[in-house]
Amino acid sequence: MNEIFTLKWRKNTLVLLDQTKIPREVAYVECKTVQDIYDAIQTMIVRGAPAIGVSAAYGMVIAANTYDGKSFSDKEKFMDYLRECAEYLKSSRPTAVNLMWAVDRIMDKVEEMQIASIEEIKAEMEKDAIAIHKEDENTNRTIGLNLLSLLKDGDTVLTHCNAGSLAASAYGTALAVFYMAQEKGMNIKAYADETRPRLQGANLTSFELAEHGVDVTLICDNMAAVVMSQGKIDAVIVGCDRVAANGDTANKIGTYSVSLLADHFQIPVYIAAPTTTIDMDCPDGSAIPIEERGADEVLCVNGGYIAPKEVKTYNPAFDVTPAEYITAIVTEKGIVYPPFKENLEKIMRK
Ligand code: MRU
């Protein structure tokens, strides 16, 4: 990996790559308050399920460290303040469950430390956030290897949105397959959907794959059927924001259409899913909250209007691919095949 990094923890400050500026500019934003972290997640300076989970974990550390002990005398007030910050950070984006998972993991530990001092709690929170970050790095590699075991040298993979190093701590999830292939001396090529409305495929995926020397071809979203019909695609590999207990999977809007096309052309669809993205409390896709974002994302491209300002829009940021269109869910603990309900339960118990 070269110099560009997605997120770095530097003594009470989370440094984030500003992904709203890629590929035009490589710039970083320093987050020093809970509000900074909330805004960075909400405005998508940082995005991608694992990356927002790790950022929110550090956000909780920042919450503890910026707590003004002088104006709150007792520990219960400190705890209440942390609980409030936890809910606030969790409300920054609704769909990716990694965000809730990371904040809850930090808070569960905090709630167990009833007899500890505030200083001890702060130290434990930082240790845990760093552990979440490190675990995500390791998960990225294992998912990449597991995905690679499903492909053969020379294969071409279509991906949607960005589930790469920009969306996580190291290699990413779906895109980890290309980086692990490079490490193993295999040649796996990529087709990247541009991914309207926010163009993560064009701005981020084609950028990061090209930066790392992966053979990547960018296509507009409406070209997926043609490239599949021409026999150019051996597998579809995408990331996810939340996998329900029955295997229904929420990912970037457009993933559902790609999965339907792949089903038509009998191309396997693999979901790269860290177990932190699997929500066994969600029985099926209908229980997954889908974020709706502003009209300007649909009305504008690169800041310029491509439609009349007043026209009505609809902008769901994610869709749910029904489990029947998914060939396998690839986690760091192993590859899960249908029947997903039983097999996800088994893998989550590992
Ligand atoms: O809206 P975004 O850019 O946060 O959406 C990102 C995705 O949909 C990714 O595919 C998903 O979070 C997995 S990232 C490893």
Side-chain angles (χ1 to χ4, degrees), residues 75 113 115-126:
K75 193 173 138 202
M113 296 182 76
I115 55 166
S117 69
I118 289 182
E119 286 314 311
E120 285 168 331
I121 292 175
K122 283 184 187 176
E124 195 54 38
M125 287 172 79
E126 181 164 15

Side-chain angles (χ1 to χ4, degrees), residues 132-276:
I132 288 172
H133 192 172
K134 190 82 216 155
E135 286 164 25
D136 187 47
E137 280 176 19
N138 296 335
T139 294
N140 289 179
R141 290 185 66 84
T142 322
I143 289 180
L145 275 179
N146 288 342
L147 285 166
L148 199 54
S149 74
L150 297 164
L151 303 178
K152 53 186 192 319
D153 200 13
D155 273 356
T156 301
V157 170
L158 177 86
T159 192
H160 190 74
C161 191
N162 174 266
S165 60
L166 295 169
S169 304
Y171 278 175
T173 60
L175 301 194
V177 73
F178 302 106
Y179 305 131
M180 292 314 299
Q182 281 182 330
E183 278 193 19
K184 302 280 172 203
M186 280 170 74
N187 173 27
I188 304 291
K189 296 185 206 56
Y191 268 71
D193 283 345
E194 63 175 348
T195 320
R196 271 283 281 155
R198 288 187 66 102
L199 299 171
Q200 288 95 328
N203 291 340
L204 306 178
T205 295
S206 74
F207 170 80
E208 76 160 81
L209 290 179
E211 279 281 306
H212 293 102
V214 175
D215 182 330
V216 56
T217 303
L218 177 66
I219 56 169
C220 299
D221 293 325
N222 49 8
M223 298 172 187
V226 164
V227 293
M228 287 185 190
S229 73
Q230 292 169 343
K232 291 187 161 84
I233 306 298
D234 299 294
V236 169
I237 302 182
V238 292
C240 53
D241 290 82
R242 196 183 295 227
V243 177
N246 72 341
D248 289 353
T249 293
N251 189 49
K252 179 53 53 196
I253 191 77
T255 304
Y256 186 11
S257 341
V258 170
S259 307
L260 288 173
L261 290 173
D263 182 66
H264 177 78
F265 291 107
Q266 295 180 318
I267 295 167
V269 173
Y270 301 123
I271 306 290
T275 49
T276 51

